[in-house]
Amino acid sequence: MLKNKKIILFGGSTLILLTNLMVFLKLPHVVWIPSFMGAWFASKGLIYYRDFIQTHFPLSHLVVYPFLKLFNWNLEVEPFFSFIVLILTLIFIYFVNKSISSSNKGFWISGIFFSTLFWYFSTWVQYSQEALMGLILTMIFLLFIKTFLNKVITLRNLFLMGLLLSLTELSGQIASPTVFVFIISILLILKIKLSGKKGLGKNIFIFALGVFLPIITVFIYFLARGVLGDFYYW
């Protein structure tokens, strides 16, 4: 029985992968110019918001920086990063389903649903900050589900959720409403599960540490570079 489940899982996963690969190869490939140029300018020593204009937070650009540098800033390579983001998101969707159900039906339904809409709303093969946010938010949702279902709340998961929420926000301010909802939801879970128990303050502190650590790091960087005003303005 277990062997049959593994065969079905492998076959279904392969089918989803091959379908996405066919769509990836068929659709036009487009470069996300702000990401490519922002990463390239940064590689030349230029500073965000002072030496060139950018109206979004920079993390979604900088994430792809090592990938572009590895392939010597080849314009044709950047769209392949979107396929990597897609596959990673599907992997975390699988783990979300696994954490709440012993059946793989949820993964097939959500995997096909996600794959269809991912390419449909992209309208072409293109890396974007929305795709990156979707990946990080899926990771957060997995940790959120585990925190909600487990009897014991681990400080590691709280710190990681805070850290990932901060990184989501730093990928682009369009994520702010979703980040806010997650923060409130996590604090409510802590209050409900730890009400009347010791350690509530410690748990909130660890979570807040994860949230503010990347933000403070970015703040210090732009302050040290003397461009905090430009960062705020743009």
Side-chain angles (χ1 to χ4, degrees):
M1 186 68 176
L2 182 61
K3 185 177 180 181
N4 290 338
K5 283 186 176 180
K6 287 183 177 180
I7 292 173
I8 293 172
L9 175 62
F10 177 77
S13 301
T14 303
L15 180 62
I16 291 176
L17 176 62
L18 290 176
T19 301
N20 278 292
L21 183 60
M22 288 174 62
V23 175
F24 173 81
L25 294 173
K26 184 178 180 181
L27 286 178
H29 289 200
V30 179
V31 174
W32 183 28
I33 296 299
S35 170
F36 185 90
M37 294 305 298
W40 187 77
F41 284 147
S43 74
K44 299 301 179 183
L46 276 66
I47 306 298
Y48 268 86
Y49 311 107
R50 183 189 68 188
D51 299 324
F52 60 97
I53 296 172
Q54 178 51 241
T55 57
H56 294 89
F57 294 147
L59 186 63
S60 55
H61 298 183
L62 299 178
V63 163
V64 79
Y65 176 96
F67 186 77
L68 293 172
K69 191 172 180 62
L70 177 65
F71 291 97
N72 197 29
W73 305 99
N74 187 340
L75 283 168
E76 295 181 353
V77 169
E78 196 216 47
F80 283 83
F81 198 72
S82 65
F83 190 72
I84 295 174
V85 170
L86 170 81
I87 298 302
L88 289 175
T89 307
L90 282 170
I91 290 172
F92 282 104
I93 288 175
Y94 166 76
F95 283 117
V96 168
N97 178 78
K98 188 177 179 181
S99 66
I100 60 178
S101 174
S102 59
S103 171
N104 290 317
K105 290 181 180 178
F107 171 64
W108 308 139
I109 295 171
S110 56
I112 294 170
F113 181 78
F114 167 75
S115 297
T116 304
L117 294 182
F118 184 88
W119 298 117
Y120 175 79
F121 284 112
S122 295
T123 66
W124 42 55
V125 175
Q126 180 189 37
Y127 167 65
S128 65
Q129 65 176 358
E130 290 82 6
L132 178 65
M133 290 175 200
L135 169 59
I136 303 175
L137 288 171
T138 307
M139 297 165 65
I140 296 167
F141 188 67
L142 174 61
L143 294 171
F144 180 82
I145 289 295
K146 287 186 174 182
T147 302
F148 181 77
L149 295 177
N150 291 349
K151 293 181 179 179
V152 179
I153 297 177
T154 66
L155 295 178
R156 173 181 169 274
N157 281 0
L158 283 175
F159 179 78
L160 284 176
M161 281 193 291
L163 189 71
L164 291 171
L165 282 168
S166 185
L167 295 179
T168 305
E169 181 66 25
L170 291 173
S171 296
Q173 51 269 49
I174 192 175
S176 297
T178 308
V179 169
F180 177 77
V181 169
F182 261 115
I183 289 174
I184 296 301
S185 300
I186 292 166
L187 291 176
L188 284 174
I189 287 179
L190 289 176
K191 183 178 179 181
I192 292 169
K193 287 204 168 192
L194 299 178
S195 180
K197 300 179 182 178
K198 293 182 179 180
L200 177 59
K202 181 180 180 181
N203 280 267
I204 292 176
F205 172 77
I206 293 298
F207 175 64
L209 182 64
V211 171
F212 288 106
L213 187 60
I215 294 174
I216 292 173
T217 302
V218 170
F219 179 88
I220 292 173
Y221 170 79
F222 285 118
L223 181 65
R225 292 284 183 170
V227 294
L228 192 60
D230 299 283
F231 172 66
Y232 171 77
Y233 179 81
W234 289 112

